[in-house]
Amino acid sequence: MTNAASTDYLSQLDWLVIATYTGGLLAFGVLLSRRQVRSVDYFLASRASRWPVIGLALFASNMSPTALVGLAGGAYAIGISVYDYEWTANVVLVFFCLFMVPLVLRSRSYTMPEFLERRFDGRVRLWFAIMTLFLNVFVDSAAVLYSASLVCQLVFPALSLWVIVIVLAGAAGAYTISGGLRAVMYTEAVQAIVLLLGATLISIGAFSRAGGWHAVMSGVNPAALSLLRPSGDRGVPWPGLLLGIPILGFYYWCTNQLIVQRVLSAQNIDEARWGALFAGLLKLPVLFLMVLPGTCALLLFPHLTQSDRVYPQLILELLPSGTLGLVVAGFVAAGMVACASMFNSASSLITMDVIKVLKPALSDRQLVKAGRLSTAGLMVFAVAWAPQLHLFTSLWQYLQAVLAYTVPPVVAVFVMGLFWRGATADGAAAALRIGFGCGLALFLINVVLRWTHFHFLYAAPILISVDTLILVGVSLYRPEPLSAARAAVMWQPQLWRSEREHLAMGPAWRDYRYQSALLLLLTAVLVFVFR
């Protein structure tokens, strides 16, 4: 299919559906944007979110166009082992619920850098905020804009990539600037439902066109249908699955402001835990709805030269009139919603971790205004970088490789800070500063100069080992007493003992521990079947 012919796939009904859905979603976001003058309203949705909205918002934030394009394209290029990044998230989410959710919510923090400051000091907070901002703008936001523009460019071949990116970012910023997190989360919840519906239709169409489940399972190389791959695999080698992906997952699900901000908005700890586990449950069908359609594309479009085009191709080739318009609109809207989510979380970092620290006397109204202005500024940076991503061979590889070289020091600082009383602010600051430098050096050696040739998933455990040694070494060399305030944001065994009575008062099905066990069991069954 050529770009010139792509518009032939859209009927008048499709155009009507696209206009109605995207316009309706924007209007819904604006309607939710009631005037908010308190910072807790704008940045944390008044701390009133319930678990269904939290879970759907987490899923929509994660399953952005970047994930849709990346997962299907990854399955096409390297096999379904790309789903290893998804099922391992459930293990990480259970860890998050067990150890971190109570501490984070009880701290009443607005951002994760603020939470980290409570354990260490302002240096650590500022460094982590800057690093997170860099990743949110130049990795997350730019990737979402680029992946959403792939479909838009097939639908509107006359428009340049720059124009599409600007329009998407502008639409996302429209209700983000006015409505804050509440508008973002509710539009995410709506979008998650449409996203699952559209993915289901595409999966059914892909398997039907490819000849059915048996035809796909027997017609594709068995290696492409295995989640557990040998150590020399170019996609996801098993040592990388065991040692590398959990590090990336811990950063993304436990420390990334984009994700944790939704949990911070919960009414209470129970709602936060239920929402996180609900998001994990929604990730189980991703294998069938978003990954395996990329496997079907091996039979349907065996000669595609760019794997990132797989999902857009499936959308335009497989769906009937009307339904095509809904899925295209949903895909484009997913880009807007994901960008809105990222802009809001990044503006929270700028406002609460930089501006408020430098000017603590600012009123709530002034902080909200600063958040809106910073959102507009972030849009400009993301729009400038997004079109450059076509220079990389694979969007998914770009995303994971950047994280593998940048986030290990963050993970080391959080884990050691949570569980080791001897971790000091000097040690954490050194681990972040020197660790970032080590990551950059290893990236230059292994990727740019190619002096070494190991998989990027091996870079993460190497770097986190170095970062942990730095933190421990500096902490032991320059010890400092642990204050009661800092100890309050550390995990301690009595936290579990103290909540047993609370959990015993309710039915077992409301107990997050049983819910977590069930989620892990379902995940294990899925991995075993596709091992």
Side-chain angles (χ1 to χ4, degrees), residues 127-142:
W127 189 265
F128 178 44
I130 292 173
M131 181 182 295
T132 305
L133 278 170
F134 169 80
L135 293 173
N136 278 359
V137 174
F138 291 97
V139 177
D140 297 325
S141 300

Side-chain angles (χ1 to χ4, degrees), residues 271-292:
E271 296 288 342
R273 280 170 163 160
W274 296 337
L277 295 175
F278 180 40
L281 183 65
L282 292 175
K283 293 184 74 64
L284 292 178
V286 165
L287 173 63
F288 304 97
L289 303 184
M290 302 171 190
V291 176
L292 284 171

Side-chain angles (χ1 to χ4, degrees), residues 9-25 68 151 155 190-202 311 315-316 319-336:
Y9 286 82
L10 296 177
S11 66
Q12 290 184 343
L13 178 60
D14 291 320
W15 289 111
L16 178 62
V17 171
I18 291 173
T20 302
Y21 181 76
T22 53
L25 191 67
L68 295 175
V151 169
V155 177
V190 172
Q191 181 56 32
I193 296 171
V194 175
L195 190 67
L196 288 169
L197 174 62
T200 300
L201 294 174
I202 291 172
Y311 207 75
I315 291 175
L316 294 180
L319 299 177
S321 178
T323 302
L324 173 59
L326 177 63
V327 174
V328 169
F331 193 91
V332 174
M336 294 190 301

